[in-house]
Amino acid sequence: MSTVMEPRLSKGEATRERILEIAEAAVLSKGFGATSIEEVIAEAGLTKSGFFYHFKDKNALAREMLRRYVATNDQLFDEIFARGRALSDDPLQAFLISLKLLAETMADLPSGHPGCLIASICYQERLFDREVRELTAQSVRDWNARFRTILDGIAAIYPPREPVDLDDVADMLSCIVDGAIIMSKTLNDPKKLERQIMLFRSCIKLMFAP
Amino acid sequence: MSTVMEPRLSKGEATRERILEIAEAAVLSKGFGATSIEEVIAEAGLTKSGFFYHFKDKNALAREMLRRYVATNDQLFDEIFARGRALSDDPLQAFLISLKLLAETMADLPSGHPGCLIASICYQERLFDREVRELTAQSVRDWNARFRTILDGIAAIYPPREPVDLDDVADMLSCIVDGAIIMSKTLNDPKKLERQIMLFRSCIKLMFAP
DNA sequence: TCCATAACTGTACTCATGGTACGGTTTCTC
DNA sequence: GAGAAACCGTACCATGAGTACAGTTATGGA
């Protein structure tokens, strides 16, 4: 899809990356509390001492995992919404294009979306310190604000038919995605996610299209 | 709201109920893997022997928790959609009323929705046996089918404006609710849930209302 | 009122795992 | 080649799941 310029990683940074990737997959499939450091280091091929050299404790691992996750997602959104704007000057059309791109991106994931780390953390809040919880909340607020900005641009040109609160509509996208990921995973049907995004797209059309 | 006829519980059943309630709250706030039997029995005021008298192991606890959760939710939906039908003969109006009732029910929860057990389990799938996973999948399928039936009744009278797949629309409700619960918990803002349900209601109006 | 059984308690284990502490060793990197 | 970065090994403690089993108390029906 997109070739990202990876800055050359030192050996330590590469190991950290490897640990974070393995840990994320484990956390998304069994939860943070049930993810043992032992299994992570076994898969990463290093010892417990090696692990604790990189991460002070499990909470430090969680923080870095989350930072990584948020950064990756931010980048994805930047890309998708920039492409939408590049393909149409009309804000509504641009958004509809971006949503289609988002749906396609999700559909292209080989074995379905692996899960949303923020959702996972939300269902295990008591395990994390305030910093982690604040980070999740802030990233959600940022995403909502981003969508809200887009919707403002649309509503300025196309007044909504039904009286809807644009903040709620902005929130809706995250809700749909998170909810659809859960349904996809629960029913073992990866297609649910892209279908729900496309349905949200239809709702946007119904709300704003003349 | 509604007075449910509780069949008189024997002492053992009452203890089981108490354990399940405490365990559910713990699981929803810290995850299944991180919920220790010790803390559950401490809060329930009984010993480890007492616990294992009621539940063979932790997975048996999970199964019963889930059964309880699904039954409670089924009952809630039965009630809400029956009331909707009672208040209007028009299937669309009945559904809109039911959605409003659902939103109000969610708004009335004292400290926000405690969380969806199915979502929690979905993010810890590897911890559970096939029976538990099959139970979650089946309950989601049942709920989707229930909504689909309602939508069929609506679409028979009010053909949808935009070409939408009714299965997707049916799925959307669960997605919205699950997603909004996550956002409510993450942002510590209980109102998100009811607002999203009301927004879904607006979308239904936009899709079907003449 | 009695008795069988349900509903527990108490004690005493095993085993796996998270996490800590710390000294030593290898491997980069400049 | 030196110094720092990136580890390894070992030993240790606390906690939690789960087992075993004998004993005790409460309950509810005949």
Side-chain angles (χ1 to χ4, degrees):
Chain A
M1 173 120 268
S2 72
T3 15
V4 181
M5 267 301 182
E6 305 278 0
R8 233 241 195 54
L9 297 179
S10 72
K11 197 186 175 212
E13 289 169 321
T15 303
R16 280 169 63 92
E17 260 315 290
R18 207 165 70 248
I19 292 174
L20 289 172
E21 200 173 319
I22 292 167
E24 185 177 315
V27 167
L28 287 176
S29 71
K30 60 208 303 182
F32 186 75
T35 295
S36 76
I37 294 179
E38 309 240 348
E39 60 165 319
V40 171
I41 62 179
E43 204 178 330
L46 81 168
T47 64
K48 204 182 266 193
S49 316
F51 174 87
F52 283 106
Y53 171 76
H54 288 288
F55 302 98
K56 176 171 159 285
D57 54 22
K58 243 185 147 187
N59 239 304
L61 174 70
R63 260 196 308 275
E64 292 311 311
M65 256 175 55
L66 187 53
R67 263 192 247 283
R68 197 181 97 107
Y69 179 81
V70 170
T72 306
N73 258 36
D74 278 344
Q75 200 177 313
L76 175 71
F77 284 144
D78 282 343
E79 212 173 287
I80 280 181
F81 289 107
R83 286 207 58 193
R85 281 193 308 272
L87 291 173
S88 174
D89 285 336
D90 181 85
L92 177 58
Q93 286 308 313
F95 190 46
L96 294 177
I97 291 169
S98 295
L99 287 175
K100 176 92 171 104
L101 289 173
L102 182 61
E104 282 170 3
T105 306
M106 295 300 147
D108 283 347
L109 294 172
S111 49
H113 195 292
C116 170
L117 204 54
I118 278 141
S120 172
I121 288 173
C122 137
Y123 275 111
Q124 309 180 50
E125 31 155 6
R126 294 265 162 266
L127 296 183
F128 303 97
D129 55 34
R130 236 190 91 247
E131 194 185 343
V132 170
R133 290 202 302 267
E134 194 42 51
L135 234 168
T136 59
Q138 195 51 49
S139 65
V140 171
R141 274 191 287 262
D142 288 347
W143 289 333
N144 288 348
R146 177 200 289 258
F147 302 143
R148 169 65 205 243
T149 304
I150 295 174
L151 291 172
D152 275 333
I154 295 172
I157 303 182
Y158 305 100
R161 294 162 175 250
E162 188 84 356
V164 289
D165 184 311
L166 290 185
D167 278 326
D168 291 341
V169 180
D171 293 354
M172 196 183 199
L173 181 48
S174 294
C175 290
I176 287 276
V177 170
D178 264 353
I181 289 173
I182 288 170
M183 192 177 285
S184 282
K185 283 169 77 83
T186 300
L187 298 181
N188 199 22
D189 178 0
K191 297 197 174 172
K192 296 279 184 193
L193 177 50
E194 45 164 322
R195 297 187 70 89
Q196 284 301 310
I197 294 173
M198 289 307 284
L199 180 55
F200 173 74
R201 186 174 176 276
S202 295
C203 291
I204 294 292
K205 272 166 74 178
L206 280 168
M207 281 179 205
F208 298 102
Chain B
M1 173 122 267
S2 74
T3 13
V4 181
M5 264 305 180
E6 307 277 0
R8 237 244 193 52
L9 296 180
S10 72
K11 197 187 176 211
E13 288 168 323
T15 302
R16 280 170 64 95
E17 251 332 274
R18 207 167 68 248
I19 292 173
L20 289 171
E21 201 173 316
I22 292 166
E24 186 177 311
V27 167
L28 287 175
S29 71
K30 60 208 300 183
F32 187 73
T35 296
S36 75
I37 293 178
E38 311 238 346
E39 60 166 318
V40 172
I41 62 179
E43 204 178 330
L46 80 168
T47 64
K48 201 183 267 194
S49 316
F51 175 88
F52 283 106
Y53 171 77
H54 288 288
F55 302 97
K56 177 169 158 285
D57 54 23
K58 239 184 148 187
N59 239 304
L61 174 69
R63 261 196 308 276
E64 292 310 311
M65 255 175 56
L66 188 53
R67 262 193 248 283
R68 197 182 97 107
Y69 179 82
V70 170
T72 305
N73 259 35
D74 277 344
Q75 199 178 315
L76 176 71
F77 284 144
D78 282 344
E79 211 173 289
I80 280 180
F81 289 106
R83 283 206 58 191
R85 281 192 309 273
L87 291 173
S88 173
D89 284 336
D90 181 84
L92 177 57
Q93 286 309 314
F95 190 46
L96 294 178
I97 291 169
S98 295
L99 286 175
K100 176 89 172 109
L101 289 173
L102 182 61
E104 281 171 3
T105 306
M106 296 300 147
D108 284 346
L109 294 172
S111 49
H113 196 293
C116 170
L117 204 54
I118 277 141
S120 171
I121 288 173
C122 140
Y123 274 109
Q124 309 180 51
E125 32 154 7
R126 294 266 162 266
L127 296 183
F128 303 96
D129 55 34
R130 237 191 90 247
E131 192 184 343
V132 171
R133 291 202 302 268
E134 193 41 52
L135 233 167
T136 60
Q138 195 51 49
S139 64
V140 172
R141 274 191 286 264
D142 288 347
W143 290 332
N144 288 348
R146 177 201 290 257
F147 302 144
R148 168 67 206 240
T149 303
I150 295 174
L151 291 172
D152 276 333
I154 295 172
I157 303 181
Y158 305 99
R161 291 160 179 254
E162 188 83 356
V164 291
D165 184 312
L166 291 186
D167 277 326
D168 291 340
V169 180
D171 292 354
M172 196 182 199
L173 182 49
S174 294
C175 289
I176 287 276
V177 170
D178 264 353
I181 289 174
I182 288 171
M183 191 175 286
S184 282
K185 281 168 78 84
T186 300
L187 298 182
N188 199 22
D189 177 0
K191 295 195 174 171
K192 296 281 184 193
L193 177 50
E194 45 164 322
R195 298 188 68 89
Q196 285 301 310
I197 294 173
M198 289 308 283
L199 180 55
F200 173 75
R201 186 173 176 277
S202 295
C203 291
I204 293 293
K205 272 166 76 177
L206 280 167
M207 281 180 204
F208 298 102

